[in-house]
Amino acid sequence: MTRAVFSSALAALSLVAISPAVRAQEQAQEDPKEYLESAFELLESYHINRNEADWAALRDAARALTAQAHSPADTHAALRAVIVALDEKHSYLVPPRKPRKTISAATNAKPPLPPMPEGKRLEGEIGYVAIPSLTTVQGREQVGVQYRDTLQSLLKDLDKNASCGWIIDLRKNFGGNMWPMLNGLDPLLGDGPFGYFVGLEEKSAWVRTFQGISASTANAKSEPSPSFKLQNSSRPIAVLIGEQTTSSGEMVAIALIGLTNSKSFGKPSANFTTAVRPFPLSDGAVLGITSSQVAFASGELVKGAIEPDVLVEDEAQEEAAGWLEEQCRTTRA
């Protein structure tokens, strides 16, 4: 981190105001000083720039600005300024979810589900799949299972009409939880490893285990077969990316682009190609800490935005379909 960035972040930190709090809700909450220190311990232990940060200066500034804090919520603005001072854009602090109003049983209403994967058959025996964002923090963990199952069912349904290949559209994937996405795509990903997290002290591979696809430092080789089979799993894959392909959307793109039978189309991605670990805090907030860089299956580090193989402004899907049809004609000739 440069001295200029650090100084400007501290200047911003000095302007942070403590927000008003609802005192009746604060009585059972953690002491704000302890809360602030717990967050600092997580950042100092896991942040990718931890060796460059001036932790003493950051602590002094944050403590001074939160000296009158009455609740953890009164420290949130200061913590966000500390994140800025760490000089990378992927870490975050999400406030606690507001409790939902009681819903009358007569309405039979349920919380809305996030967007699920969608797909369709395209001309030329091509299966098209759009993979949206997925948030599974703060009580939404079970949604990931539904997302994975929806994606798997979609691939199975499209498989019989995908003899010329697949288009995987990540252009509106703003991130979230990458694992239901990869587990949903399981048979299209090959043998693995599918990519890597590269931290300061260790490197973990994205591998297939009997429990599903996940990151492992102990085993850099995928052992079991995919969790389900597709007749056309080895057909070419066209990957669509763009300016809104962010974070976990970029992770999925990295796994697919690392395959020998894939080609990417569209615009450069959003450049959040680092890994974030979410840590729940005592008040229900979530502190996401950027903890590692990311690498392709080849081991090559991803530096910045993902650049597509074919730069296309507005007709990425058409270009991708044309490439798949050409591959299909070549293999059938």
Side-chain angles (χ1 to χ4, degrees):
M1 150 188 342
T2 66
R3 183 175 297 276
V5 170
F6 180 74
S7 298
S8 62
L10 282 182
L13 184 57
S14 67
L15 299 176
V16 171
I18 296 176
S19 61
V22 181
R23 304 307 177 198
Q25 297 179 352
E26 296 171 0
Q27 294 178 356
Q29 292 184 351
E30 184 178 357
D31 177 84
K33 293 182 176 62
E34 295 178 0
Y35 181 90
L36 185 68
E37 182 56 31
S38 296
F40 263 101
E41 288 177 359
L42 289 170
L43 289 165
E44 193 169 0
S45 297
Y46 295 104
H47 198 278
I48 194 169
N49 291 339
R50 56 187 177 272
N51 292 340
E52 288 78 37
D54 187 338
W55 292 107
L58 286 171
R59 273 187 168 86
D60 287 346
R63 287 168 179 166
L65 292 164
T66 59
Q68 303 302 316
H70 292 85
S71 74
D74 292 338
T75 71
H76 287 176
L79 281 172
R80 289 192 179 95
V82 170
I83 289 171
V84 172
L86 291 172
D87 197 20
E88 59 81 32
K89 63 180 183 179
H90 207 171
S91 296
Y92 59 81
L93 178 67
V94 177
R97 293 180 67 187
K98 294 181 180 179
R100 289 193 179 93
K101 295 180 180 179
T102 303
I103 300 174
S104 170
T107 64
N108 198 31
K110 293 182 179 180
L113 287 172
M116 291 286 149
E118 297 180 346
K120 57 186 176 182
R121 300 176 182 87
L122 300 182
E123 292 184 10
E125 296 292 299
I126 295 170
Y128 169 88
V129 181
I131 301 183
S133 312
L134 173 65
T135 299
T136 59
V137 298
Q138 294 184 319
R140 301 177 68 98
E141 291 78 6
Q142 193 60 30
V143 176
V145 175
Q146 183 171 352
Y147 185 104
R148 178 203 64 196
D149 293 347
T150 298
L151 182 51
Q152 291 184 359
S153 296
L154 187 59
L155 290 181
K156 293 174 185 177
D157 182 59
L158 295 173
D159 183 38
K160 56 183 175 293
N161 297 108
S163 61
C164 280
W166 303 86
I167 294 177
I168 307 299
D169 193 344
L170 299 165
R171 290 176 295 178
K172 293 185 179 180
N173 190 316
F174 313 117
N177 187 342
M178 64 187 279
W179 303 118
M181 302 175 193
L182 291 183
N183 279 286
L185 292 170
D186 191 355
L188 297 184
L189 299 176
D191 294 332
F194 317 118
Y196 296 91
F197 294 137
V198 183
L200 295 181
E201 287 86 23
E202 63 182 17
K203 178 179 179 181
S204 60
W206 312 347
V207 294
R208 181 185 294 118
T209 70
F210 289 105
Q211 288 73 43
I213 296 172
S214 61
S216 172
T217 56
N219 178 16
K221 182 180 180 181
S222 293
E223 295 294 347
S225 300
S227 58
F228 64 103
K229 294 183 179 180
L230 295 175
Q231 179 181 346
N232 291 301
S233 60
S234 62
R235 302 306 300 155
I237 300 172
V239 186
L240 307 186
I241 62 174
E243 298 166 340
Q244 295 180 332
T245 306
T246 308
S247 189
S248 286
E250 291 171 296
M251 303 302 111
V252 177
I254 287 165
L256 293 170
I257 291 171
L259 299 169
T260 58
N261 64 336
S262 73
K263 194 169 187 175
S264 56
F265 299 80
K267 300 178 183 179
S269 67
N271 190 13
F272 284 80
T273 51
T274 48
V276 175
R277 293 182 62 174
F279 292 91
L281 301 182
S282 62
D283 64 339
V286 176
L287 178 61
I289 301 177
T290 300
S291 57
S292 62
Q293 293 179 278
V294 177
F296 290 103
S298 65
E300 177 190 358
L301 279 177
V302 180
K303 298 180 180 179
I306 302 170
E307 298 288 339
D309 296 315
V310 179
L311 185 63
V312 185
E313 286 295 320
D314 300 312
E315 298 180 350
Q317 182 176 322
E318 291 76 10
E319 290 280 347
W323 175 72
L324 288 173
E325 290 170 358
E326 180 183 351
Q327 299 302 302
C328 202
R329 287 193 297 269
T330 300
T331 57
R332 290 176 177 176

